């Protein structure tokens, strides 16, 4: 695939490798572990994390993802999240999903989300 056919996708929750919903990425190419710029925080919405404005660098994973599959991923993420471009600690830009309502959910005092033990 060419660079125009793919984008860099930053995931920070259940889409990460080893997590419950990673299969939704369907073979996207893993590029590495990375952090956002220090401009975010995490909230929890119905046991799932949501990226919101803040002052932390959030740990997540970067994937090469086919642009043609974005509608499928938008549908999976649902109405509580919106797709947008975010800045990474490296200065690069990636696509990610952030909370549609920045005040939604319960604020988390962490920079890296871990799945609940009871999954």
């Amino acid at each position: 695939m060419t660079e125009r056919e793919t984008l860099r996708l930053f995931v920070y929750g259940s889409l990460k490798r080893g997590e419950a919903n990673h299969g939704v990425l369907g073979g996207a190419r893993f590029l590495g572990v990375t952090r956002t710029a220090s401009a975010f925080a995490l909230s929890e919405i119905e046991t799932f994390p949501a990226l919101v404005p803040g002052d932390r660098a959030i740990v997540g994973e970067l994937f090469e993802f086919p642009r043609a599959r974005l509608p499928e991923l938008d549908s999976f993420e649902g109405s509580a999240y919106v797709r947008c471009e975010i800045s990474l600690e490296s200065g690069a830009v990636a696509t990610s999903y952030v909370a549609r309502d920045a005040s939604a959910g319960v604020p988390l005092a962490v920079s890296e989300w871990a799945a609940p033990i009871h999954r």
Side-chain angles (χ1 to χ4, degrees):
M1 278 189 208
T2 69
E3 191 172 311
R4 285 184 233 182
E5 295 174 316
T6 63
L7 54 78
R8 289 186 297 186
L9 179 69
F10 176 82
V11 300
Y12 52 88
S14 70
L15 293 174
K16 293 190 306 186
R17 294 169 304 143
E19 295 296 340
N21 293 316
H22 178 68
V24 172
L25 296 184
R29 188 168 68 100
F30 176 69
L31 299 175
V33 174
T34 191
R35 292 177 178 266
T36 66
S38 296
F40 298 96
L42 291 173
S43 284
E44 186 172 75
I45 300 175
E46 297 180 15
T47 73
F48 293 101
L51 204 56
V52 296
D55 60 4
R56 291 191 179 110
I58 303 303
V59 177
E61 296 178 346
L62 199 60
F63 290 86
E64 183 179 68
F65 190 78
R67 289 180 188 274
R69 293 195 45 225
L70 284 173
E72 172 189 340
L73 196 53
D74 290 345
S75 179
F76 171 79
E77 290 292 354
S79 62
Y81 299 87
V82 62
R83 175 173 27 108
C84 65
E85 288 190 345
I86 64 164
S87 295
L88 301 177
E89 190 174 60
S90 66
V93 173
T95 297
S96 192
Y97 288 84
V98 301
R100 185 174 299 279
D101 176 359
S103 64
V106 177
L108 299 174
V110 297
S111 295
E112 183 171 14
W113 182 80
I117 294 172
H118 60 274
R119 63 173 154 151

PDB file of all heavy atoms in Angstrom, residues 86-108:
ATOM      1  N   ILE A  86      -3.856  14.133  15.914  1.00  0.00           N
ATOM      2  CA  ILE A  86      -3.245  14.546  17.174  1.00  0.00           C
ATOM      3  C   ILE A  86      -1.732  14.630  16.978  1.00  0.00           C
ATOM      4  O   ILE A  86      -1.179  14.016  16.072  1.00  0.00           O
ATOM      5  CB  ILE A  86      -3.576  13.575  18.327  1.00  0.00           C
ATOM      6  CG1 ILE A  86      -2.987  12.184  18.057  1.00  0.00           C
ATOM      7  CG2 ILE A  86      -5.081  13.490  18.571  1.00  0.00           C
ATOM      8  CD1 ILE A  86      -2.917  11.294  19.268  1.00  0.00           C
ATOM      9  N   SER A  87      -1.087  15.381  17.855  1.00  0.00           N
ATOM     10  CA  SER A  87       0.370  15.482  17.825  1.00  0.00           C
ATOM     11  C   SER A  87       0.979  14.449  18.754  1.00  0.00           C
ATOM     12  O   SER A  87       0.479  14.211  19.855  1.00  0.00           O
ATOM     13  CB  SER A  87       0.804  16.878  18.272  1.00  0.00           C
ATOM     14  OG  SER A  87       0.354  17.834  17.357  1.00  0.00           O
ATOM     15  N   LEU A  88       2.074  13.867  18.290  1.00  0.00           N
ATOM     16  CA  LEU A  88       2.812  12.907  19.096  1.00  0.00           C
ATOM     17  C   LEU A  88       4.013  13.595  19.729  1.00  0.00           C
ATOM     18  O   LEU A  88       4.425  14.676  19.303  1.00  0.00           O
ATOM     19  CB  LEU A  88       3.269  11.733  18.229  1.00  0.00           C
ATOM     20  CG  LEU A  88       2.150  10.957  17.530  1.00  0.00           C
ATOM     21  CD1 LEU A  88       2.735   9.863  16.644  1.00  0.00           C
ATOM     22  CD2 LEU A  88       1.165  10.387  18.537  1.00  0.00           C
ATOM     23  N   GLU A  89       4.569  12.958  20.737  1.00  0.00           N
ATOM     24  CA  GLU A  89       5.725  13.488  21.447  1.00  0.00           C
ATOM     25  C   GLU A  89       6.889  13.781  20.490  1.00  0.00           C
ATOM     26  O   GLU A  89       7.646  14.728  20.680  1.00  0.00           O
ATOM     27  CB  GLU A  89       6.136  12.483  22.518  1.00  0.00           C
ATOM     28  CG  GLU A  89       7.162  12.956  23.494  1.00  0.00           C
ATOM     29  CD  GLU A  89       7.381  11.940  24.595  1.00  0.00           C
ATOM     30  OE1 GLU A  89       7.772  10.793  24.292  1.00  0.00           O
ATOM     31  OE2 GLU A  89       7.141  12.290  25.753  1.00  0.00           O
ATOM     32  N   SER A  90       6.999  12.979  19.442  1.00  0.00           N
ATOM     33  CA  SER A  90       8.081  13.125  18.462  1.00  0.00           C
ATOM     34  C   SER A  90       7.898  14.333  17.552  1.00  0.00           C
ATOM     35  O   SER A  90       8.805  14.690  16.804  1.00  0.00           O
ATOM     36  CB  SER A  90       8.144  11.873  17.589  1.00  0.00           C
ATOM     37  OG  SER A  90       6.957  11.786  16.803  1.00  0.00           O
ATOM     38  N   GLY A  91       6.711  14.939  17.579  1.00  0.00           N
ATOM     39  CA  GLY A  91       6.402  16.037  16.677  1.00  0.00           C
ATOM     40  C   GLY A  91       5.617  15.576  15.456  1.00  0.00           C
ATOM     41  O   GLY A  91       5.090  16.393  14.704  1.00  0.00           O
ATOM     42  N   ALA A  92       5.531  14.273  15.252  1.00  0.00           N
ATOM     43  CA  ALA A  92       4.752  13.721  14.147  1.00  0.00           C
ATOM     44  C   ALA A  92       3.260  13.859  14.463  1.00  0.00           C
ATOM     45  O   ALA A  92       2.862  14.132  15.595  1.00  0.00           O
ATOM     46  CB  ALA A  92       5.110  12.250  13.942  1.00  0.00           C
ATOM     47  N   VAL A  93       2.453  13.641  13.441  1.00  0.00           N
ATOM     48  CA  VAL A  93       0.999  13.706  13.575  1.00  0.00           C
ATOM     49  C   VAL A  93       0.435  12.319  13.286  1.00  0.00           C
ATOM     50  O   VAL A  93       0.945  11.592  12.439  1.00  0.00           O
ATOM     51  CB  VAL A  93       0.415  14.740  12.591  1.00  0.00           C
ATOM     52  CG1 VAL A  93      -1.096  14.716  12.588  1.00  0.00           C
ATOM     53  CG2 VAL A  93       0.927  16.136  12.931  1.00  0.00           C
ATOM     54  N   ALA A  94      -0.617  11.952  14.011  1.00  0.00           N
ATOM     55  CA  ALA A  94      -1.292  10.671  13.796  1.00  0.00           C
ATOM     56  C   ALA A  94      -2.794  10.880  13.922  1.00  0.00           C
ATOM     57  O   ALA A  94      -3.256  11.863  14.515  1.00  0.00           O
ATOM     58  CB  ALA A  94      -0.822   9.634  14.810  1.00  0.00           C
ATOM     59  N   THR A  95      -3.536   9.946  13.384  1.00  0.00           N
ATOM     60  CA  THR A  95      -4.985   9.937  13.543  1.00  0.00           C
ATOM     61  C   THR A  95      -5.311   9.167  14.808  1.00  0.00           C
ATOM     62  O   THR A  95      -4.675   8.151  15.109  1.00  0.00           O
ATOM     63  CB  THR A  95      -5.642   9.265  12.323  1.00  0.00           C
ATOM     64  OG1 THR A  95      -5.332  10.046  11.168  1.00  0.00           O
ATOM     65  CG2 THR A  95      -7.139   9.139  12.479  1.00  0.00           C
ATOM     66  N   SER A  96      -6.308   9.647  15.549  1.00  0.00           N
ATOM     67  CA  SER A  96      -6.751   8.938  16.748  1.00  0.00           C
ATOM     68  C   SER A  96      -8.215   9.266  16.994  1.00  0.00           C
ATOM     69  O   SER A  96      -8.806  10.075  16.268  1.00  0.00           O
ATOM     70  CB  SER A  96      -5.902   9.336  17.958  1.00  0.00           C
ATOM     71  OG  SER A  96      -6.147   8.450  19.034  1.00  0.00           O
ATOM     72  N   TYR A  97      -8.776   8.646  17.992  1.00  0.00           N
ATOM     73  CA  TYR A  97     -10.153   8.900  18.387  1.00  0.00           C
ATOM     74  C   TYR A  97     -10.154   9.539  19.759  1.00  0.00           C
ATOM     75  O   TYR A  97      -9.531   9.023  20.689  1.00  0.00           O
ATOM     76  CB  TYR A  97     -10.961   7.595  18.387  1.00  0.00           C
ATOM     77  CG  TYR A  97     -11.218   7.106  16.982  1.00  0.00           C
ATOM     78  CD1 TYR A  97     -10.273   6.358  16.296  1.00  0.00           C
ATOM     79  CD2 TYR A  97     -12.389   7.442  16.321  1.00  0.00           C
ATOM     80  CE1 TYR A  97     -10.484   5.948  14.996  1.00  0.00           C
ATOM     81  CE2 TYR A  97     -12.620   7.028  15.008  1.00  0.00           C
ATOM     82  CZ  TYR A  97     -11.672   6.277  14.352  1.00  0.00           C
ATOM     83  OH  TYR A  97     -11.897   5.883  13.065  1.00  0.00           O
ATOM     84  N   VAL A  98     -10.826  10.666  19.866  1.00  0.00           N
ATOM     85  CA  VAL A  98     -10.911  11.402  21.127  1.00  0.00           C
ATOM     86  C   VAL A  98     -12.381  11.490  21.534  1.00  0.00           C
ATOM     87  O   VAL A  98     -13.283  11.326  20.710  1.00  0.00           O
ATOM     88  CB  VAL A  98     -10.290  12.811  21.013  1.00  0.00           C
ATOM     89  CG1 VAL A  98      -8.828  12.730  20.617  1.00  0.00           C
ATOM     90  CG2 VAL A  98     -11.054  13.675  20.033  1.00  0.00           C
ATOM     91  N   ALA A  99     -12.604  11.758  22.815  1.00  0.00           N
ATOM     92  CA  ALA A  99     -13.977  11.883  23.310  1.00  0.00           C
ATOM     93  C   ALA A  99     -14.663  13.053  22.611  1.00  0.00           C
ATOM     94  O   ALA A  99     -14.097  14.140  22.505  1.00  0.00           O
ATOM     95  CB  ALA A  99     -13.978  12.089  24.816  1.00  0.00           C
ATOM     96  N   ARG A 100     -15.861  12.820  22.124  1.00  0.00           N
ATOM     97  CA  ARG A 100     -16.645  13.884  21.486  1.00  0.00           C
ATOM     98  C   ARG A 100     -16.938  14.987  22.500  1.00  0.00           C
ATOM     99  O   ARG A 100     -16.892  16.165  22.198  1.00  0.00           O
ATOM    100  CB  ARG A 100     -17.945  13.311  20.921  1.00  0.00           C
ATOM    101  CG  ARG A 100     -18.760  14.320  20.144  1.00  0.00           C
ATOM    102  CD  ARG A 100     -19.959  13.684  19.482  1.00  0.00           C
ATOM    103  NE  ARG A 100     -19.630  12.652  18.516  1.00  0.00           N
ATOM    104  CZ  ARG A 100     -19.260  12.867  17.252  1.00  0.00           C
ATOM    105  NH1 ARG A 100     -19.161  14.101  16.803  1.00  0.00           N
ATOM    106  NH2 ARG A 100     -18.991  11.878  16.440  1.00  0.00           N
ATOM    107  N   ASP A 101     -17.225  14.584  23.739  1.00  0.00           N
ATOM    108  CA  ASP A 101     -17.493  15.510  24.835  1.00  0.00           C
ATOM    109  C   ASP A 101     -16.307  15.448  25.790  1.00  0.00           C
ATOM    110  O   ASP A 101     -16.125  14.461  26.498  1.00  0.00           O
ATOM    111  CB  ASP A 101     -18.788  15.113  25.547  1.00  0.00           C
ATOM    112  CG  ASP A 101     -19.103  15.958  26.763  1.00  0.00           C
ATOM    113  OD1 ASP A 101     -18.323  16.878  27.105  1.00  0.00           O
ATOM    114  OD2 ASP A 101     -20.146  15.700  27.389  1.00  0.00           O
ATOM    115  N   ALA A 102     -15.489  16.491  25.816  1.00  0.00           N
ATOM    116  CA  ALA A 102     -14.262  16.496  26.622  1.00  0.00           C
ATOM    117  C   ALA A 102     -14.521  16.341  28.111  1.00  0.00           C
ATOM    118  O   ALA A 102     -13.624  15.970  28.858  1.00  0.00           O
ATOM    119  CB  ALA A 102     -13.481  17.784  26.363  1.00  0.00           C
ATOM    120  N   SER A 103     -15.749  16.593  28.555  1.00  0.00           N
ATOM    121  CA  SER A 103     -16.057  16.455  29.983  1.00  0.00           C
ATOM    122  C   SER A 103     -16.710  15.108  30.299  1.00  0.00           C
ATOM    123  O   SER A 103     -17.093  14.852  31.439  1.00  0.00           O
ATOM    124  CB  SER A 103     -16.981  17.590  30.437  1.00  0.00           C
ATOM    125  OG  SER A 103     -18.232  17.500  29.769  1.00  0.00           O
ATOM    126  N   ALA A 104     -16.820  14.247  29.307  1.00  0.00           N
ATOM    127  CA  ALA A 104     -17.478  12.947  29.499  1.00  0.00           C
ATOM    128  C   ALA A 104     -16.609  12.000  30.310  1.00  0.00           C
ATOM    129  O   ALA A 104     -15.389  12.078  30.302  1.00  0.00           O
ATOM    130  CB  ALA A 104     -17.795  12.320  28.140  1.00  0.00           C
ATOM    131  N   GLY A 105     -17.261  11.103  31.004  1.00  0.00           N
ATOM    132  CA  GLY A 105     -16.557  10.038  31.700  1.00  0.00           C
ATOM    133  C   GLY A 105     -15.944  10.463  33.013  1.00  0.00           C
ATOM    134  O   GLY A 105     -16.109  11.582  33.485  1.00  0.00           O
ATOM    135  N   VAL A 106     -15.211   9.531  33.582  1.00  0.00           N
ATOM    136  CA  VAL A 106     -14.546   9.716  34.866  1.00  0.00           C
ATOM    137  C   VAL A 106     -13.058   9.915  34.596  1.00  0.00           C
ATOM    138  O   VAL A 106     -12.421   9.056  33.983  1.00  0.00           O
ATOM    139  CB  VAL A 106     -14.752   8.472  35.755  1.00  0.00           C
ATOM    140  CG1 VAL A 106     -14.011   8.608  37.069  1.00  0.00           C
ATOM    141  CG2 VAL A 106     -16.237   8.215  35.974  1.00  0.00           C
ATOM    142  N   PRO A 107     -12.474  11.037  35.039  1.00  0.00           N
ATOM    143  CA  PRO A 107     -11.043  11.264  34.802  1.00  0.00           C
ATOM    144  C   PRO A 107     -10.186  10.158  35.425  1.00  0.00           C
ATOM    145  O   PRO A 107     -10.464   9.679  36.523  1.00  0.00           O
ATOM    146  CB  PRO A 107     -10.777  12.600  35.492  1.00  0.00           C
ATOM    147  CG  PRO A 107     -12.103  13.262  35.572  1.00  0.00           C
ATOM    148  CD  PRO A 107     -13.101  12.152  35.738  1.00  0.00           C
ATOM    149  N   LEU A 108      -9.148   9.744  34.702  1.00  0.00           N
ATOM    150  CA  LEU A 108      -8.203   8.748  35.188  1.00  0.00           C
ATOM    151  C   LEU A 108      -6.880   9.449  35.492  1.00  0.00           C
ATOM    152  O   LEU A 108      -6.445  10.296  34.726  1.00  0.00           O
ATOM    153  CB  LEU A 108      -7.976   7.660  34.136  1.00  0.00           C
ATOM    154  CG  LEU A 108      -9.192   6.848  33.721  1.00  0.00           C
ATOM    155  CD1 LEU A 108      -8.848   5.914  32.571  1.00  0.00           C
ATOM    156  CD2 LEU A 108      -9.739   6.065  34.890  1.00  0.00           C
TER     157      LEU A 108
END
